[in-house]
Amino acid sequence: MKDSIVMDIRKIRDALESFDKSDFHYKTSFYMCLDGFPSGCCGDTSNLLGLFLKNAYGKDSMYISGKGLGNNREKSHAWLLCDGYIIDITADQFNSIGYNLDNVIVSTSSDFHESFSRIDKHEINYDSLYNTPISNVLHKVNERIRNLTPAIFPKHS
């Protein structure tokens, strides 16, 4: 994956970390998660990243959800697959249960992601995401990044 895309993904992670829960729409996991980002935010984050990659780079992504991690059959997680790359900016939420995962993963393989006993995937429905609070969160994230690095995310009129 191009370095510029990976850099933008890292900026999105940094921006999401910089918000308070109360900055987000109440119907998103960014607001509802008791422990705050990234815990429990993997689904909405994956959709947000998918929408970003489509808007900024014209790239389609697959939404991947895994269930059954180690001995816990109910433990679940979500991430993206884009151009053969696993993209995950919330995997580090599992560090609290013994994993040692980076806060941004962009890789063609991952033992962690392959360790789920059940994997489901589907194409992201971009049209439906535009009408959800996730689109608003992406707008907020872009604004936060734009305020820090104006040349990276130019404002559109």
Side-chain angles (χ1 to χ4, degrees):
M1 182 152 291
K2 290 173 65 173
D3 288 345
S4 60
I5 297 174
V6 175
M7 285 176 41
D8 286 348
I9 291 169
R10 290 185 184 284
K11 288 176 184 174
I12 290 170
R13 167 65 193 232
D14 291 344
L16 286 169
E17 286 180 328
S18 74
F19 287 104
D20 291 327
K21 285 174 43 166
S22 60
D23 293 329
F24 295 113
H25 191 279
Y26 73 96
K27 288 187 177 180
T28 67
S29 62
F30 303 109
Y31 177 85
M32 291 188 280
C33 291
L34 296 176
D35 295 329
F37 184 84
S39 295
C41 297
C42 54
D44 282 352
T45 300
S46 296
N47 281 323
L48 182 140
L49 282 174
L51 196 56
F52 164 76
L53 290 168
K54 183 67 168 180
N55 289 346
Y57 293 99
K59 295 197 170 287
D60 290 320
S61 302
M62 295 289 290
Y63 180 100
I64 312 295
S65 59
K67 193 167 185 180
L69 179 61
N71 293 330
N72 187 337
R73 293 181 9 196
E74 297 304 312
K75 188 65 80 177
S76 63
H77 187 51
W79 60 94
L80 284 186
L81 186 64
C82 180
D83 291 346
Y85 285 85
I86 295 164
I87 301 174
D88 190 345
I89 64 170
T90 62
D92 60 318
Q93 68 183 293
F94 294 95
N95 290 350
S96 64
I97 60 170
Y99 290 88
N100 185 23
L101 301 165
D102 291 335
N103 65 353
V104 174
I105 297 172
V106 180
S107 177
T108 56
S109 66
S110 164
D111 291 340
F112 169 73
H113 294 91
E114 293 168 8
S115 67
F116 286 88
S117 60
R118 190 175 115 221
I119 303 284
D120 294 313
K121 55 180 127 181
H122 67 270
E123 292 181 17
I124 293 179
N125 183 339
Y126 302 103
D127 290 335
S128 70
L129 282 178
Y130 287 118
N131 299 314
T132 69
I134 297 303
S135 181
N136 294 333
V137 172
L138 180 58
H139 177 73
K140 282 184 142 194
V141 166
N142 281 335
E143 286 295 316
R144 178 73 47 102
I145 292 170
R146 204 175 288 125
N147 290 335
L148 300 173
T149 55
I152 302 299
F153 292 85
K155 290 184 179 178
H156 298 286
S157 45

